[in-house]
mmCIF file of all heavy atoms in Angstrom:
data_model
loop_
_atom_site.group_PDB
_atom_site.id
_atom_site.type_symbol
_atom_site.label_atom_id
_atom_site.label_comp_id
_atom_site.label_asym_id
_atom_site.label_seq_id
_atom_site.Cartn_x
_atom_site.Cartn_y
_atom_site.Cartn_z
ATOM 1 N N MET A 1 -7.869 118.598 55.998
ATOM 2 C CA MET A 1 -6.761 119.099 56.796
ATOM 3 C C MET A 1 -7.269 119.433 58.173
ATOM 4 O O MET A 1 -8.326 120.055 58.322
ATOM 5 C CB MET A 1 -6.163 120.326 56.134
ATOM 6 C CG MET A 1 -4.982 120.924 56.888
ATOM 7 S SD MET A 1 -4.381 122.390 56.061
ATOM 8 C CE MET A 1 -5.736 123.483 56.356
ATOM 9 N N ALA A 3 -6.632 121.551 61.720
ATOM 10 C CA ALA A 3 -5.862 122.622 62.335
ATOM 11 C C ALA A 3 -6.052 122.535 63.836
ATOM 12 O O ALA A 3 -7.144 122.269 64.309
ATOM 13 C CB ALA A 3 -6.310 123.979 61.813
ATOM 14 N N ALA A 6 -4.327 127.543 68.477
ATOM 15 C CA ALA A 6 -4.925 128.835 68.170
ATOM 16 C C ALA A 6 -5.460 128.894 66.769
ATOM 17 O O ALA A 6 -6.417 129.620 66.486
ATOM 18 C CB ALA A 6 -3.885 129.947 68.384
ATOM 19 N N LEU A 7 -4.885 128.103 65.845
ATOM 20 C CA LEU A 7 -5.309 128.157 64.449
ATOM 21 C C LEU A 7 -6.686 127.566 64.249
ATOM 22 O O LEU A 7 -7.297 127.769 63.210
ATOM 23 C CB LEU A 7 -4.291 127.417 63.576
ATOM 24 C CG LEU A 7 -2.933 128.104 63.455
ATOM 25 C CD1 LEU A 7 -1.990 127.238 62.644
ATOM 26 C CD2 LEU A 7 -3.071 129.477 62.832
ATOM 27 N N ALA A 8 -7.197 126.806 65.225
ATOM 28 C CA ALA A 8 -8.512 126.200 65.059
ATOM 29 C C ALA A 8 -9.584 127.241 64.920
ATOM 30 O O ALA A 8 -10.673 126.951 64.396
ATOM 31 C CB ALA A 8 -8.811 125.279 66.254
ATOM 32 N N GLN A 9 -9.348 128.436 65.438
ATOM 33 C CA GLN A 9 -10.353 129.485 65.384
ATOM 34 C C GLN A 9 -10.220 130.352 64.136
ATOM 35 O O GLN A 9 -11.061 131.205 63.883
ATOM 36 C CB GLN A 9 -10.233 130.383 66.637
ATOM 37 C CG GLN A 9 -10.302 129.615 67.950
ATOM 38 C CD GLN A 9 -11.598 128.844 68.104
ATOM 39 O OE1 GLN A 9 -12.668 129.352 67.760
ATOM 40 N NE2 GLN A 9 -11.500 127.616 68.595
ATOM 41 N N THR A 10 -9.195 130.180 63.355
ATOM 42 C CA THR A 10 -9.016 131.030 62.187
ATOM 43 C C THR A 10 -9.807 130.503 61.020
ATOM 44 O O THR A 10 -10.023 129.307 60.879
ATOM 45 C CB THR A 10 -7.532 131.125 61.793
ATOM 46 O OG1 THR A 10 -7.093 129.821 61.451
ATOM 47 C CG2 THR A 10 -6.701 131.682 62.944
ATOM 48 N N ALA A 11 -10.237 131.410 60.159
ATOM 49 C CA ALA A 11 -11.028 131.012 58.991
ATOM 50 C C ALA A 11 -10.153 130.428 57.917
ATOM 51 O O ALA A 11 -10.591 129.619 57.104
ATOM 52 C CB ALA A 11 -11.799 132.216 58.452
ATOM 53 N N SER A 12 -8.888 130.786 57.868
ATOM 54 C CA SER A 12 -8.023 130.309 56.801
ATOM 55 C C SER A 12 -6.571 130.357 57.248
ATOM 56 O O SER A 12 -6.184 131.182 58.081
ATOM 57 C CB SER A 12 -8.214 131.175 55.549
ATOM 58 O OG SER A 12 -7.256 130.832 54.566
ATOM 59 N N LEU A 13 -5.795 129.453 56.706
ATOM 60 C CA LEU A 13 -4.360 129.447 56.965
ATOM 61 C C LEU A 13 -3.591 130.130 55.847
ATOM 62 O O LEU A 13 -2.363 130.229 55.902
ATOM 63 C CB LEU A 13 -3.864 127.999 57.106
ATOM 64 C CG LEU A 13 -4.548 127.146 58.176
ATOM 65 C CD1 LEU A 13 -3.991 125.718 58.148
ATOM 66 C CD2 LEU A 13 -4.361 127.745 59.549
ATOM 67 N N GLU A 14 -4.293 130.578 54.832
ATOM 68 C CA GLU A 14 -3.645 131.180 53.672
ATOM 69 C C GLU A 14 -2.736 132.318 54.083
ATOM 70 O O GLU A 14 -3.113 133.206 54.858
ATOM 71 C CB GLU A 14 -4.692 131.708 52.694
ATOM 72 C CG GLU A 14 -5.397 130.646 51.897
ATOM 73 C CD GLU A 14 -4.553 130.153 50.732
ATOM 74 O OE1 GLU A 14 -3.732 130.923 50.213
ATOM 75 O OE2 GLU A 14 -4.721 128.971 50.354
ATOM 76 N N GLY A 15 -1.517 132.268 53.561
ATOM 77 C CA GLY A 15 -0.584 133.373 53.732
ATOM 78 C C GLY A 15 0.314 133.280 54.934
ATOM 79 O O GLY A 15 1.297 134.036 55.040
ATOM 80 N N LEU A 16 0.011 132.370 55.895
ATOM 81 C CA LEU A 16 0.888 132.238 57.044
ATOM 82 C C LEU A 16 2.210 131.616 56.628
ATOM 83 O O LEU A 16 2.260 130.743 55.774
ATOM 84 C CB LEU A 16 0.223 131.380 58.115
ATOM 85 C CG LEU A 16 -1.036 131.960 58.779
ATOM 86 C CD1 LEU A 16 -1.610 130.972 59.790
ATOM 87 C CD2 LEU A 16 -0.726 133.291 59.462
ATOM 88 N N ARG A 17 3.281 132.076 57.262
ATOM 89 C CA ARG A 17 4.613 131.583 56.907
ATOM 90 C C ARG A 17 4.781 130.152 57.394
ATOM 91 O O ARG A 17 4.472 129.818 58.537
ATOM 92 C CB ARG A 17 5.691 132.480 57.526
ATOM 93 C CG ARG A 17 7.116 132.039 57.222
ATOM 94 C CD ARG A 17 8.119 132.985 57.890
ATOM 95 N NE ARG A 17 9.479 132.532 57.627
ATOM 96 C CZ ARG A 17 10.130 131.617 58.347
ATOM 97 N NH1 ARG A 17 9.503 131.062 59.390
ATOM 98 N NH2 ARG A 17 11.372 131.265 58.039
ATOM 99 N N PHE A 46 1.908 129.837 53.346
ATOM 100 C CA PHE A 46 1.078 128.646 53.186
ATOM 101 C C PHE A 46 0.017 128.904 52.123
ATOM 102 O O PHE A 46 -0.690 129.917 52.152
ATOM 103 C CB PHE A 46 0.405 128.294 54.514
ATOM 104 C CG PHE A 46 -0.465 127.073 54.442
ATOM 105 C CD1 PHE A 46 0.057 125.821 54.694
ATOM 106 C CD2 PHE A 46 -1.814 127.170 54.102
ATOM 107 C CE1 PHE A 46 -0.739 124.693 54.630
ATOM 108 C CE2 PHE A 46 -2.616 126.054 54.030
ATOM 109 C CZ PHE A 46 -2.084 124.804 54.288
ATOM 110 N N ARG A 47 -0.103 127.992 51.174
ATOM 111 C CA ARG A 47 -1.123 128.082 50.128
ATOM 112 C C ARG A 47 -1.841 126.724 50.043
ATOM 113 O O ARG A 47 -1.201 125.669 50.013
ATOM 114 C CB ARG A 47 -0.494 128.416 48.769
ATOM 115 C CG ARG A 47 0.147 129.801 48.716
ATOM 116 C CD ARG A 47 -0.919 130.895 48.590
ATOM 117 N NE ARG A 47 -0.331 132.218 48.496
ATOM 118 C CZ ARG A 47 -0.225 133.076 49.506
ATOM 119 N NH1 ARG A 47 -0.655 132.711 50.724
ATOM 120 N NH2 ARG A 47 0.327 134.261 49.346
ATOM 121 N N LEU A 48 -3.163 126.778 50.018
ATOM 122 C CA LEU A 48 -3.939 125.531 49.942
ATOM 123 C C LEU A 48 -3.606 124.733 48.691
ATOM 124 O O LEU A 48 -3.513 123.503 48.730
ATOM 125 C CB LEU A 48 -5.440 125.836 49.991
ATOM 126 C CG LEU A 48 -6.005 126.207 51.363
ATOM 127 C CD1 LEU A 48 -7.477 126.605 51.234
ATOM 128 C CD2 LEU A 48 -5.858 125.054 52.336
ATOM 129 N N GLU A 49 -3.416 125.420 47.580
ATOM 130 C CA GLU A 49 -3.110 124.705 46.341
ATOM 131 C C GLU A 49 -1.755 124.006 46.444
ATOM 132 O O GLU A 49 -1.572 122.886 45.951
ATOM 133 C CB GLU A 49 -3.128 125.663 45.156
ATOM 134 C CG GLU A 49 -2.837 124.986 43.811
ATOM 135 C CD GLU A 49 -3.734 123.767 43.545
ATOM 136 O OE1 GLU A 49 -4.942 123.836 43.840
ATOM 137 O OE2 GLU A 49 -3.204 122.744 43.064
ATOM 138 N N ARG A 52 -2.306 120.873 48.513
ATOM 139 C CA ARG A 52 -2.943 119.801 47.730
ATOM 140 C C ARG A 52 -1.952 119.160 46.757
ATOM 141 O O ARG A 52 -1.928 117.941 46.592
ATOM 142 C CB ARG A 52 -4.153 120.361 46.973
ATOM 143 C CG ARG A 52 -5.272 120.863 47.876
ATOM 144 C CD ARG A 52 -6.519 121.184 47.074
ATOM 145 N NE ARG A 52 -7.527 121.796 47.911
ATOM 146 C CZ ARG A 52 -7.871 123.084 47.896
ATOM 147 N NH1 ARG A 52 -7.263 123.906 47.042
ATOM 148 N NH2 ARG A 52 -8.806 123.553 48.690
ATOM 149 N N ALA A 71 -1.824 121.098 61.066
ATOM 150 C CA ALA A 71 -1.009 122.304 61.160
ATOM 151 C C ALA A 71 -1.197 122.932 62.535
ATOM 152 O O ALA A 71 -2.298 122.897 63.100
ATOM 153 C CB ALA A 71 -1.405 123.301 60.071
ATOM 154 N N LEU A 78 4.258 128.559 61.092
ATOM 155 C CA LEU A 78 3.314 127.445 61.043
ATOM 156 C C LEU A 78 4.067 126.137 60.815
ATOM 157 O O LEU A 78 4.924 126.059 59.936
ATOM 158 C CB LEU A 78 2.325 127.672 59.884
ATOM 159 C CG LEU A 78 1.159 126.707 59.739
ATOM 160 C CD1 LEU A 78 0.168 126.880 60.879
ATOM 161 C CD2 LEU A 78 0.465 126.951 58.406
#
Side-chain angles (χ1 to χ4, degrees):
M1 180 182 69
L7 291 176
Q9 305 301 319
T10 62
S12 172
L13 303 177
E14 285 281 331
L16 294 178
R17 179 180 178 275
F46 180 90
R47 295 284 182 260
L48 284 175
E49 181 52 41
R52 296 189 186 106
L78 186 69

